[in-house]
Short mmCIF file of all heavy atoms in Angstrom, two decimals:
data_model
loop_
_atom_site.label_atom_id
_atom_site.label_comp_id
_atom_site.label_asym_id
_atom_site.label_seq_id
_atom_site.Cartn_x
_atom_site.Cartn_y
_atom_site.Cartn_z
N LEU U 237 6.55 -5.06 -7.21
CA LEU U 237 5.58 -5.10 -6.12
C LEU U 237 4.30 -5.61 -6.75
O LEU U 237 3.65 -4.95 -7.58
CB LEU U 237 5.35 -3.69 -5.49
CG LEU U 237 4.24 -3.66 -4.38
CD1 LEU U 237 4.68 -4.49 -3.17
CD2 LEU U 237 4.09 -2.19 -3.98
N LEU U 238 3.90 -6.83 -6.40
CA LEU U 238 2.78 -7.56 -7.03
C LEU U 238 1.77 -7.90 -5.95
O LEU U 238 1.99 -8.73 -5.08
CB LEU U 238 3.34 -8.82 -7.72
CG LEU U 238 4.55 -8.57 -8.64
CD1 LEU U 238 5.11 -9.97 -9.06
CD2 LEU U 238 4.18 -7.78 -9.80
N THR U 239 0.61 -7.20 -6.00
CA THR U 239 -0.35 -7.24 -4.97
C THR U 239 -1.54 -8.04 -5.25
O THR U 239 -1.88 -8.26 -6.41
CB THR U 239 -0.75 -5.78 -4.46
OG1 THR U 239 -1.51 -5.17 -5.49
CG2 THR U 239 0.50 -4.98 -4.17
N LEU U 240 -2.29 -8.49 -4.16
CA LEU U 240 -3.64 -8.97 -4.26
C LEU U 240 -3.82 -10.20 -5.18
O LEU U 240 -4.68 -10.34 -5.93
CB LEU U 240 -4.66 -7.90 -4.75
CG LEU U 240 -4.79 -6.73 -3.79
CD1 LEU U 240 -5.60 -5.65 -4.38
CD2 LEU U 240 -5.33 -7.09 -2.46
N SER U 241 -2.86 -11.18 -4.89
CA SER U 241 -3.04 -12.46 -5.60
C SER U 241 -3.84 -13.34 -4.70
O SER U 241 -3.65 -13.40 -3.44
CB SER U 241 -1.69 -13.10 -5.81
OG SER U 241 -0.88 -12.30 -6.70
N VAL U 242 -4.82 -14.10 -5.30
CA VAL U 242 -5.73 -14.91 -4.46
C VAL U 242 -4.91 -16.00 -3.77
O VAL U 242 -3.97 -16.56 -4.41
CB VAL U 242 -6.89 -15.55 -5.28
CG1 VAL U 242 -7.81 -14.47 -5.75
CG2 VAL U 242 -6.32 -16.29 -6.45
N ALA U 243 -5.30 -16.30 -2.59
CA ALA U 243 -4.59 -17.33 -1.75
C ALA U 243 -5.33 -18.71 -1.72
O ALA U 243 -4.80 -19.60 -1.14
CB ALA U 243 -4.30 -16.79 -0.34
N GLY U 244 -6.49 -18.72 -2.24
CA GLY U 244 -7.32 -20.00 -2.28
C GLY U 244 -8.09 -20.21 -0.99
O GLY U 244 -8.63 -21.30 -0.81
N ARG U 245 -8.18 -19.20 -0.11
CA ARG U 245 -8.88 -19.37 1.12
C ARG U 245 -9.97 -18.25 1.29
O ARG U 245 -9.64 -17.09 1.06
CB ARG U 245 -7.98 -19.35 2.31
CG ARG U 245 -7.01 -20.52 2.42
CD ARG U 245 -6.09 -20.47 3.60
NE ARG U 245 -5.17 -19.39 3.54
CZ ARG U 245 -5.13 -18.35 4.32
NH1 ARG U 245 -6.02 -18.29 5.37
NH2 ARG U 245 -4.22 -17.40 4.18
N VAL U 246 -11.15 -18.58 1.71
CA VAL U 246 -12.23 -17.65 2.00
C VAL U 246 -12.88 -18.03 3.32
O VAL U 246 -13.18 -19.22 3.51
CB VAL U 246 -13.27 -17.68 0.85
CG1 VAL U 246 -14.42 -16.74 1.22
CG2 VAL U 246 -12.64 -17.29 -0.51
N ASP U 247 -13.06 -17.08 4.21
CA ASP U 247 -13.76 -17.32 5.47
C ASP U 247 -15.05 -16.53 5.50
O ASP U 247 -15.07 -15.33 5.29
CB ASP U 247 -12.88 -16.90 6.63
CG ASP U 247 -11.55 -17.57 6.71
OD1 ASP U 247 -11.50 -18.81 6.40
OD2 ASP U 247 -10.49 -16.96 7.04
N LEU U 248 -16.18 -17.32 5.64
CA LEU U 248 -17.51 -16.70 5.73
C LEU U 248 -18.09 -16.88 7.06
O LEU U 248 -18.03 -18.01 7.58
CB LEU U 248 -18.42 -17.23 4.62
CG LEU U 248 -18.00 -17.03 3.20
CD1 LEU U 248 -17.27 -18.22 2.62
CD2 LEU U 248 -19.19 -16.61 2.27
N THR U 249 -18.61 -15.82 7.66
CA THR U 249 -19.28 -15.91 8.94
C THR U 249 -20.70 -15.34 8.83
O THR U 249 -20.94 -14.25 8.33
CB THR U 249 -18.57 -15.13 9.96
OG1 THR U 249 -17.18 -15.55 10.00
CG2 THR U 249 -19.13 -15.25 11.34
N PRO U 250 -21.74 -16.13 9.21
CA PRO U 250 -21.67 -17.50 9.77
C PRO U 250 -21.25 -18.55 8.74
O PRO U 250 -21.40 -18.36 7.55
CB PRO U 250 -23.09 -17.75 10.27
CG PRO U 250 -23.92 -16.91 9.37
CD PRO U 250 -23.13 -15.69 9.10
N ALA U 251 -20.71 -19.67 9.22
CA ALA U 251 -20.28 -20.71 8.35
C ALA U 251 -21.50 -21.44 7.71
O ALA U 251 -22.60 -21.39 8.23
CB ALA U 251 -19.38 -21.75 9.07
N HIS U 252 -21.25 -22.17 6.60
CA HIS U 252 -22.29 -22.92 5.96
C HIS U 252 -21.69 -24.21 5.55
O HIS U 252 -20.52 -24.31 5.14
CB HIS U 252 -22.77 -22.16 4.74
CG HIS U 252 -23.99 -22.72 4.00
ND1 HIS U 252 -23.90 -23.86 3.23
CD2 HIS U 252 -25.30 -22.37 3.96
CE1 HIS U 252 -25.17 -24.11 2.73
NE2 HIS U 252 -25.95 -23.21 3.24
N PRO U 253 -22.47 -25.36 5.53
CA PRO U 253 -21.89 -26.63 5.13
C PRO U 253 -21.31 -26.68 3.69
O PRO U 253 -20.44 -27.53 3.45
CB PRO U 253 -23.09 -27.62 5.22
CG PRO U 253 -24.02 -26.94 6.27
CD PRO U 253 -23.82 -25.45 6.02
#
Side-chain angles (χ1 to χ4, degrees):
L237 179 63
L238 309 171
T239 68
L240 297 174
S241 297
V242 291
R245 294 181 293 115
V246 177
D247 300 322
L248 297 99
T249 306
H252 187 287

